Amino acid sequence: MLRTALRNVLAHTARLVMTALAVLLGVAFVSGTLVFGDTVASAFRGAYSESLDGVAVSVSAEHRSGDPLPESGERATVLDDALAERIARVPGVASVRPTVNGHATLAAEDGEPVGADANGQNLAVNHAPGGDGEDPRYPLVRGRGPGASNEIALAADTAERAGYEIGDPVRFATDGPALTKELVGLVSTDDPRVTAGGTLALFDTATAQRLFVSPGYYDEIVVAAEPGTDQERLTGAVGEVLPEEGASATSGRELATRQTRMLDQMSGSLTKALLVFAGIALFVGAFIIANTFTMLIAQRSKEIALLRAVGASRRQVVRSVLAEAALLGLGASAAGFVLGLGIAAALPALLDAGGARLPDGPLVISPKALLASLTVGVVVTVLAAWLPARKAARIAPVEVMSTIDTPPPARGLVTRNLLGGVLAGLGLLIMGYLAAGELLIALFGAGLFLVGLIVLAPLLSRPVVGLAGRLTERFFGVIGKLAKENALRNPRRTAATASALMIGLCLITGLTVAAQSARQAVIGEVTKGLAADYRVSDSAYNGIEADAAERLAAVPGVSVATPLASATLGGPGGSDTVTGADPAAFGRVSDLRFTSGALADLGPGRVAVSDTYAEEHGLTLGSTVERRLGASYDGEGGEPVTLEVVGVYEHNQIVSGLLAGIGQVLPHADGEKLDSVLVKAEPGAGGLDGKLREALGDSPLLKVQDKEQIVAQEVGGVNTVLTMMYGLLGMSVLIAVLGVVNTLAMSVFERTREIGMLRAIGLDRAGVKQMVRLESVVICLFGAVLGTGSGAFLAWLNSGLAGGTLASYETVLPWGRIGLFLVLALVVGVLAAIWPARRAARLNMLEAINAP
């Protein structure tokens, strides 16, 4: 029987090509994901390992939120030169490297900020040369290190991105106005934060201390050990000379362990997310496998009956079919693993082109990835062939093979329909009543509903395909009617073929509807209450100077500039944020809608609250709020205040849940700085963004946005995620297309005699092609209608999950895109039929009539 299975695989190679391709693509997705995840994790580990090379102990300053700051606002630490000298005298210490760490955002040569939206990766450190004049952590590429307060060095890649050459003036900002220094050198770095898209600027130690801490102080002291010194013992010895508070010592080995744990978690999350889509692709491929083996079993009924007649048992028949599936799965999986290596090798370059900038590293091919890929491919193929194998075992030795076009018994379809109805109903019940805002439960319910719909697909095929068939019959006459009848003669096969396409389009449509609805809700939330033309803020969230509104108001073309500040209200019930604004000016740049009270009622000791905040805290007009203004987030400190509620306004994103006068809030704001300034332009005055930047010193940290830019910033992430999802789900759609091609090709083989008879009574080659093409279009339209309809329905049914975070969320049906999906289904149907239609048209009429 094993030899029979091998012979069947070799004898029906052409009929199994599309099935093998489906398995191959699914396994390629899996193997590419696993290898890519291992490769990225290895590259980051290598980069972090190089950055920790020579670090035996790291002494870091402990910054506490409640620590008082000097009047200058600079940070003070316990790490100073005296402590560095004490650490250097510890036995086993080879050298110490005091380090200052900060962030600096550069302005490129054209004036645009470099990496302003990723300020956490815009690193700034001190240049600490050794005896040879070079900093071993940042080797020089060209020029020299900064040695004076007016000099700066950059990473070579950073300088290239910004368009700077040695000798150019470099503009940058740390937490205030723009500064300018001369570029004197370029360095190389293996810091993953920089190689992954950040920037690096270096200053002499004294300048770095003035910019980021206090003169004479550091953020970190890196300790190098003498050869043969145990890191753990050295860490303990260094810890003994540290002050009791304000500093901690960590071994280099422990730092590496922490980083490895963090990287494994990050890469593991990415790999799991990608494997979900790989699983979807394999699930779609399972329909093709099951369809193929069902058709092969029907075509080989006489052969199987003869095997039973000469002594083969039912179990042997099942094993033979499953062995055939295992051989097919193993071969396709091996090829898929090789293709997956190519995908894994190409992904970093594609992501780098999109701005990801992953660190370089060799391709990591682990035995685990190989074993998992082959196992998944074989198991999926065997499981998909299990039901056809059982059907083959039920063929009696004396059974005469009946035509494959005979519809399945009504009892089987009745049982299937009942099962599908129960699954779909249970899925709806879970989504509608049991999910209660739980995403995972809702997704489980949606999956159950989708499985029920797949089971019900044969029942649904008759009305949907019949309706599409009426159109083909009306426009294409007899050929259209033949196409409809061919699609309806075996509802199970048609349903299985269409279901593969339905799954992909269901997910794509559901994501599109949810994303479009979320996008409209975000736009509504962002623009609600905003009447200003510009918003000026700090990209590093350091705040802007208190006089910024006055300076902006003096810009020609500006009608009004209103400052906004925020402070913390601490108390027994937790901490809240109160926004401060000038009531008179704020009314001109906002459209705040009050349900009771008015904006003009604000004043000392008075506060307005949003309707959602009032409902949560049981507040009404005249209620009082007793809190500590300016308290820390743990409720400590601050000034005790009693605020009277004088107004209730509709919730919006312009201000927080509480609104008070700017004069009361600003003294308690962080650094007494503003959060932002809202600017209203005079009628006809446009293009003020450049003038607004200049009025505030044109710092690279400044973010000047008009309404369109504010909306683009908020919804940009939604569009990016949707595009990525389209790409990931595209693999499942491609596999579904292969399923349509496979079904049509095998259907043509089954109907060889029928096609010969049609040719004999006058149907020409063009008519045969059109018949097969229309059949393909009808099947694809059936899958598209089910997919888009179920996707939109599921998105609507689960809209409550998004509505919990977006108050204005309403389901929006993007009719244009849904129509585009249906058109694409038509195109897919036409393209999928090209090869089967050509094959059918080329059949020799006489040979076809005499076919067995």
PDB file of all heavy atoms in Angstrom, residues 198-218:
ATOM      1  N   GLY A 198      18.134  55.681  15.219  1.00  0.00           N
ATOM      2  CA  GLY A 198      18.331  56.862  16.057  1.00  0.00           C
ATOM      3  C   GLY A 198      19.508  57.700  15.584  1.00  0.00           C
ATOM      4  O   GLY A 198      20.120  57.439  14.548  1.00  0.00           O
ATOM      5  N   THR A 199      19.832  58.708  16.355  1.00  0.00           N
ATOM      6  CA  THR A 199      20.970  59.576  16.048  1.00  0.00           C
ATOM      7  C   THR A 199      21.907  59.604  17.246  1.00  0.00           C
ATOM      8  O   THR A 199      21.526  59.243  18.358  1.00  0.00           O
ATOM      9  CB  THR A 199      20.513  61.013  15.723  1.00  0.00           C
ATOM     10  OG1 THR A 199      19.865  61.575  16.887  1.00  0.00           O
ATOM     11  CG2 THR A 199      19.537  61.022  14.557  1.00  0.00           C
ATOM     12  N   LEU A 200      23.141  60.039  17.015  1.00  0.00           N
ATOM     13  CA  LEU A 200      24.141  60.118  18.084  1.00  0.00           C
ATOM     14  C   LEU A 200      24.945  61.399  17.938  1.00  0.00           C
ATOM     15  O   LEU A 200      25.495  61.675  16.869  1.00  0.00           O
ATOM     16  CB  LEU A 200      25.082  58.911  18.035  1.00  0.00           C
ATOM     17  CG  LEU A 200      26.265  58.949  19.008  1.00  0.00           C
ATOM     18  CD1 LEU A 200      25.766  58.888  20.450  1.00  0.00           C
ATOM     19  CD2 LEU A 200      27.243  57.809  18.727  1.00  0.00           C
ATOM     20  N   ALA A 201      24.999  62.173  19.021  1.00  0.00           N
ATOM     21  CA  ALA A 201      25.803  63.387  19.078  1.00  0.00           C
ATOM     22  C   ALA A 201      26.736  63.292  20.279  1.00  0.00           C
ATOM     23  O   ALA A 201      26.353  62.790  21.335  1.00  0.00           O
ATOM     24  CB  ALA A 201      24.915  64.624  19.197  1.00  0.00           C
ATOM     25  N   LEU A 202      27.976  63.754  20.109  1.00  0.00           N
ATOM     26  CA  LEU A 202      28.964  63.711  21.179  1.00  0.00           C
ATOM     27  C   LEU A 202      29.478  65.120  21.477  1.00  0.00           C
ATOM     28  O   LEU A 202      29.735  65.912  20.553  1.00  0.00           O
ATOM     29  CB  LEU A 202      30.148  62.815  20.800  1.00  0.00           C
ATOM     30  CG  LEU A 202      29.857  61.317  20.613  1.00  0.00           C
ATOM     31  CD1 LEU A 202      29.559  61.032  19.155  1.00  0.00           C
ATOM     32  CD2 LEU A 202      31.044  60.472  21.080  1.00  0.00           C
ATOM     33  N   PHE A 203      29.637  65.413  22.774  1.00  0.00           N
ATOM     34  CA  PHE A 203      30.177  66.686  23.236  1.00  0.00           C
ATOM     35  C   PHE A 203      31.354  66.403  24.164  1.00  0.00           C
ATOM     36  O   PHE A 203      31.503  65.283  24.677  1.00  0.00           O
ATOM     37  CB  PHE A 203      29.102  67.481  23.994  1.00  0.00           C
ATOM     38  CG  PHE A 203      27.811  67.648  23.237  1.00  0.00           C
ATOM     39  CD1 PHE A 203      26.779  66.735  23.383  1.00  0.00           C
ATOM     40  CD2 PHE A 203      27.634  68.717  22.373  1.00  0.00           C
ATOM     41  CE1 PHE A 203      25.589  66.889  22.691  1.00  0.00           C
ATOM     42  CE2 PHE A 203      26.448  68.875  21.682  1.00  0.00           C
ATOM     43  CZ  PHE A 203      25.429  67.963  21.840  1.00  0.00           C
ATOM     44  N   ASP A 204      32.177  67.433  24.389  1.00  0.00           N
ATOM     45  CA  ASP A 204      33.200  67.259  25.414  1.00  0.00           C
ATOM     46  C   ASP A 204      32.493  67.120  26.763  1.00  0.00           C
ATOM     47  O   ASP A 204      31.351  67.537  26.936  1.00  0.00           O
ATOM     48  CB  ASP A 204      34.176  68.433  25.402  1.00  0.00           C
ATOM     49  CG  ASP A 204      33.510  69.724  25.814  1.00  0.00           C
ATOM     50  OD1 ASP A 204      32.814  70.332  24.951  1.00  0.00           O
ATOM     51  OD2 ASP A 204      33.629  70.102  26.977  1.00  0.00           O
ATOM     52  N   THR A 205      33.176  66.526  27.724  1.00  0.00           N
ATOM     53  CA  THR A 205      32.538  66.168  28.994  1.00  0.00           C
ATOM     54  C   THR A 205      31.941  67.376  29.705  1.00  0.00           C
ATOM     55  O   THR A 205      30.803  67.318  30.200  1.00  0.00           O
ATOM     56  CB  THR A 205      33.550  65.462  29.902  1.00  0.00           C
ATOM     57  OG1 THR A 205      33.972  64.247  29.271  1.00  0.00           O
ATOM     58  CG2 THR A 205      32.919  65.121  31.247  1.00  0.00           C
ATOM     59  N   ALA A 206      32.678  68.473  29.769  1.00  0.00           N
ATOM     60  CA  ALA A 206      32.170  69.648  30.482  1.00  0.00           C
ATOM     61  C   ALA A 206      30.894  70.173  29.837  1.00  0.00           C
ATOM     62  O   ALA A 206      29.933  70.542  30.532  1.00  0.00           O
ATOM     63  CB  ALA A 206      33.239  70.743  30.515  1.00  0.00           C
ATOM     64  N   THR A 207      30.849  70.217  28.515  1.00  0.00           N
ATOM     65  CA  THR A 207      29.656  70.697  27.819  1.00  0.00           C
ATOM     66  C   THR A 207      28.484  69.745  28.034  1.00  0.00           C
ATOM     67  O   THR A 207      27.348  70.170  28.277  1.00  0.00           O
ATOM     68  CB  THR A 207      29.940  70.848  26.312  1.00  0.00           C
ATOM     69  OG1 THR A 207      31.014  71.763  26.125  1.00  0.00           O
ATOM     70  CG2 THR A 207      28.712  71.329  25.578  1.00  0.00           C
ATOM     71  N   ALA A 208      28.749  68.431  27.959  1.00  0.00           N
ATOM     72  CA  ALA A 208      27.683  67.442  28.175  1.00  0.00           C
ATOM     73  C   ALA A 208      27.116  67.561  29.581  1.00  0.00           C
ATOM     74  O   ALA A 208      25.903  67.446  29.781  1.00  0.00           O
ATOM     75  CB  ALA A 208      28.217  66.042  27.926  1.00  0.00           C
ATOM     76  N   GLN A 209      27.978  67.813  30.550  1.00  0.00           N
ATOM     77  CA  GLN A 209      27.484  67.969  31.923  1.00  0.00           C
ATOM     78  C   GLN A 209      26.601  69.194  32.055  1.00  0.00           C
ATOM     79  O   GLN A 209      25.557  69.155  32.723  1.00  0.00           O
ATOM     80  CB  GLN A 209      28.674  68.057  32.883  1.00  0.00           C
ATOM     81  CG  GLN A 209      29.393  66.720  33.076  1.00  0.00           C
ATOM     82  CD  GLN A 209      30.642  66.866  33.919  1.00  0.00           C
ATOM     83  OE1 GLN A 209      31.285  67.923  33.922  1.00  0.00           O
ATOM     84  NE2 GLN A 209      31.008  65.812  34.630  1.00  0.00           N
ATOM     85  N   ARG A 210      27.003  70.305  31.428  1.00  0.00           N
ATOM     86  CA  ARG A 210      26.173  71.507  31.503  1.00  0.00           C
ATOM     87  C   ARG A 210      24.828  71.306  30.809  1.00  0.00           C
ATOM     88  O   ARG A 210      23.805  71.850  31.244  1.00  0.00           O
ATOM     89  CB  ARG A 210      26.914  72.695  30.860  1.00  0.00           C
ATOM     90  CG  ARG A 210      28.045  73.246  31.698  1.00  0.00           C
ATOM     91  CD  ARG A 210      28.474  74.617  31.188  1.00  0.00           C
ATOM     92  NE  ARG A 210      28.915  74.567  29.802  1.00  0.00           N
ATOM     93  CZ  ARG A 210      30.172  74.339  29.428  1.00  0.00           C
ATOM     94  NH1 ARG A 210      31.108  74.127  30.344  1.00  0.00           N
ATOM     95  NH2 ARG A 210      30.506  74.330  28.159  1.00  0.00           N
ATOM     96  N   LEU A 211      24.816  70.530  29.734  1.00  0.00           N
ATOM     97  CA  LEU A 211      23.582  70.334  28.964  1.00  0.00           C
ATOM     98  C   LEU A 211      22.616  69.358  29.642  1.00  0.00           C
ATOM     99  O   LEU A 211      21.399  69.548  29.590  1.00  0.00           O
ATOM    100  CB  LEU A 211      23.906  69.821  27.563  1.00  0.00           C
ATOM    101  CG  LEU A 211      24.532  70.819  26.580  1.00  0.00           C
ATOM    102  CD1 LEU A 211      24.937  70.109  25.290  1.00  0.00           C
ATOM    103  CD2 LEU A 211      23.567  71.956  26.268  1.00  0.00           C
ATOM    104  N   PHE A 212      23.148  68.313  30.281  1.00  0.00           N
ATOM    105  CA  PHE A 212      22.277  67.209  30.687  1.00  0.00           C
ATOM    106  C   PHE A 212      22.249  66.925  32.180  1.00  0.00           C
ATOM    107  O   PHE A 212      21.277  66.338  32.659  1.00  0.00           O
ATOM    108  CB  PHE A 212      22.671  65.932  29.927  1.00  0.00           C
ATOM    109  CG  PHE A 212      22.686  66.106  28.444  1.00  0.00           C
ATOM    110  CD1 PHE A 212      23.870  65.989  27.719  1.00  0.00           C
ATOM    111  CD2 PHE A 212      21.528  66.412  27.756  1.00  0.00           C
ATOM    112  CE1 PHE A 212      23.882  66.154  26.347  1.00  0.00           C
ATOM    113  CE2 PHE A 212      21.526  66.581  26.384  1.00  0.00           C
ATOM    114  CZ  PHE A 212      22.712  66.463  25.677  1.00  0.00           C
ATOM    115  N   VAL A 213      23.289  67.247  32.923  1.00  0.00           N
ATOM    116  CA  VAL A 213      23.256  67.061  34.380  1.00  0.00           C
ATOM    117  C   VAL A 213      23.703  68.363  35.032  1.00  0.00           C
ATOM    118  O   VAL A 213      23.201  69.425  34.700  1.00  0.00           O
ATOM    119  CB  VAL A 213      24.126  65.857  34.830  1.00  0.00           C
ATOM    120  CG1 VAL A 213      23.414  64.564  34.569  1.00  0.00           C
ATOM    121  CG2 VAL A 213      25.474  65.839  34.145  1.00  0.00           C
ATOM    122  N   SER A 214      24.618  68.286  35.932  1.00  0.00           N
ATOM    123  CA  SER A 214      25.206  69.475  36.553  1.00  0.00           C
ATOM    124  C   SER A 214      26.714  69.385  36.390  1.00  0.00           C
ATOM    125  O   SER A 214      27.272  68.274  36.304  1.00  0.00           O
ATOM    126  CB  SER A 214      24.841  69.554  38.034  1.00  0.00           C
ATOM    127  OG  SER A 214      23.442  69.680  38.188  1.00  0.00           O
ATOM    128  N   PRO A 215      27.421  70.505  36.372  1.00  0.00           N
ATOM    129  CA  PRO A 215      28.883  70.465  36.233  1.00  0.00           C
ATOM    130  C   PRO A 215      29.521  69.576  37.289  1.00  0.00           C
ATOM    131  O   PRO A 215      29.253  69.696  38.485  1.00  0.00           O
ATOM    132  CB  PRO A 215      29.281  71.938  36.400  1.00  0.00           C
ATOM    133  CG  PRO A 215      28.090  72.699  35.937  1.00  0.00           C
ATOM    134  CD  PRO A 215      26.912  71.888  36.380  1.00  0.00           C
ATOM    135  N   GLY A 216      30.379  68.658  36.810  1.00  0.00           N
ATOM    136  CA  GLY A 216      31.092  67.770  37.722  1.00  0.00           C
ATOM    137  C   GLY A 216      30.381  66.466  38.020  1.00  0.00           C
ATOM    138  O   GLY A 216      30.923  65.632  38.753  1.00  0.00           O
ATOM    139  N   TYR A 217      29.162  66.258  37.457  1.00  0.00           N
ATOM    140  CA  TYR A 217      28.385  65.054  37.764  1.00  0.00           C
ATOM    141  C   TYR A 217      28.151  64.215  36.500  1.00  0.00           C
ATOM    142  O   TYR A 217      28.244  64.708  35.374  1.00  0.00           O
ATOM    143  CB  TYR A 217      27.048  65.428  38.395  1.00  0.00           C
ATOM    144  CG  TYR A 217      27.192  66.052  39.764  1.00  0.00           C
ATOM    145  CD1 TYR A 217      27.267  67.429  39.921  1.00  0.00           C
ATOM    146  CD2 TYR A 217      27.267  65.248  40.894  1.00  0.00           C
ATOM    147  CE1 TYR A 217      27.404  67.997  41.173  1.00  0.00           C
ATOM    148  CE2 TYR A 217      27.405  65.804  42.150  1.00  0.00           C
ATOM    149  CZ  TYR A 217      27.478  67.179  42.278  1.00  0.00           C
ATOM    150  OH  TYR A 217      27.617  67.731  43.525  1.00  0.00           O
ATOM    151  N   TYR A 218      27.821  62.908  36.740  1.00  0.00           N
ATOM    152  CA  TYR A 218      27.641  61.956  35.638  1.00  0.00           C
ATOM    153  C   TYR A 218      26.363  61.145  35.852  1.00  0.00           C
ATOM    154  O   TYR A 218      25.789  61.113  36.955  1.00  0.00           O
ATOM    155  CB  TYR A 218      28.845  61.000  35.554  1.00  0.00           C
ATOM    156  CG  TYR A 218      30.175  61.699  35.412  1.00  0.00           C
ATOM    157  CD1 TYR A 218      30.949  61.980  36.535  1.00  0.00           C
ATOM    158  CD2 TYR A 218      30.645  62.087  34.173  1.00  0.00           C
ATOM    159  CE1 TYR A 218      32.177  62.635  36.424  1.00  0.00           C
ATOM    160  CE2 TYR A 218      31.870  62.734  34.045  1.00  0.00           C
ATOM    161  CZ  TYR A 218      32.623  63.009  35.172  1.00  0.00           C
ATOM    162  OH  TYR A 218      33.821  63.655  35.049  1.00  0.00           O
TER     163      TYR A 218
END
